[in-house]
Amino acid sequence: MRVPQSATPSHHRIREKIVTTIEDLLNIHEIKNLRILYSTYFDEQKIDKLMALLTPDAVCEFGPEYGGNWEGPQTIRANFLSYMRQDAEPYRVLHSITNHMVELTGPDTAKGRCYLIDLNLEEGQKNPLYLFGVYDDLYKKIDGQWLIYRTRID
């Protein structure tokens, strides 16, 4: 099958999007680790560490089936704790992320997307696949630390 010329970006256009500084690479790496820590702390049910990854004005947009928009630290904390209680013990559900793309949008802002695959590890499950989704995030760097400002599951 022949791919139309317009569907394949030129080598030059691809190279324009390549990160050009070590500082950019370090920031992107830090943001990717932030997203991994979010999943790890959620799975480990470490609410204080999880909350420390969010800005004070963070918003979690999880849709009506998961309580709609969670705004403010008290609401976000209460909703995460509710899901942690449902899971009964750490690592009953495993939040696995992959294909994380990060774009720096300013010196202290970035956006990212990654795939989410939730696995139910409870013994006796015939099908461990629990949820597929896409995290769509906005990040802010505050006092030298990258934090999640907004996260949304599509």
Side-chain angles (χ1 to χ4, degrees):
M1 178 171 134
R2 187 178 161 155
V3 178
Q5 188 72 14
S6 62
T8 12
S10 72
H11 180 69
H12 178 70
R13 280 185 277 162
I14 290 172
R15 290 198 53 87
E16 287 176 8
K17 294 184 180 183
I18 293 177
V19 177
T20 56
T21 68
I22 295 296
E23 184 178 346
D24 288 347
L25 289 172
L26 291 171
N27 281 311
I28 289 169
H29 181 72
E30 207 175 312
I31 292 167
K32 287 182 177 187
N33 278 342
L34 171 67
R35 175 40 79 185
I36 292 168
L37 286 172
Y38 172 98
S39 294
T40 301
Y41 294 154
F42 195 10
D43 295 342
E44 291 176 346
Q45 298 186 357
K46 294 184 176 177
I47 189 65
D48 292 331
K49 288 185 175 188
L50 178 60
M51 292 300 297
L53 302 177
L54 306 174
T55 64
D57 57 345
V59 176
C60 300
E61 299 176 9
F62 293 150
E65 63 273 19
Y66 298 102
N69 290 353
W70 304 356
E71 297 183 39
Q74 292 82 10
T75 300
I76 293 171
R77 182 184 194 87
N79 287 338
F80 274 129
L81 282 171
S82 172
Y83 280 97
M84 289 176 182
R85 285 187 203 104
Q86 289 176 25
D87 291 340
E89 60 187 58
Y91 291 108
R92 188 189 69 78
V93 174
L94 185 70
H95 296 79
S96 179
I97 59 167
T98 184
N99 295 38
H100 197 181
M101 298 177 293
V102 174
E103 179 184 339
L104 300 173
T105 56
D108 298 323
T109 58
K111 63 182 179 178
R113 287 177 63 88
C114 59
Y115 299 140
L116 167 66
I117 304 167
D118 276 357
L119 301 170
N120 185 338
L121 302 181
E122 193 171 24
E123 195 169 323
Q125 289 293 315
K126 291 182 182 181
N127 182 358
L129 297 177
Y130 182 68
L131 173 75
F132 291 104
V134 176
Y135 278 120
D136 185 9
D137 296 331
L138 296 176
Y139 308 101
K140 286 184 181 179
K141 193 173 197 178
I142 299 174
D143 296 328
Q145 181 181 1
W146 284 102
L147 300 170
I148 298 169
Y149 167 65
R150 192 220 49 192
T151 184
R152 181 177 75 216
I153 296 179
D154 292 329

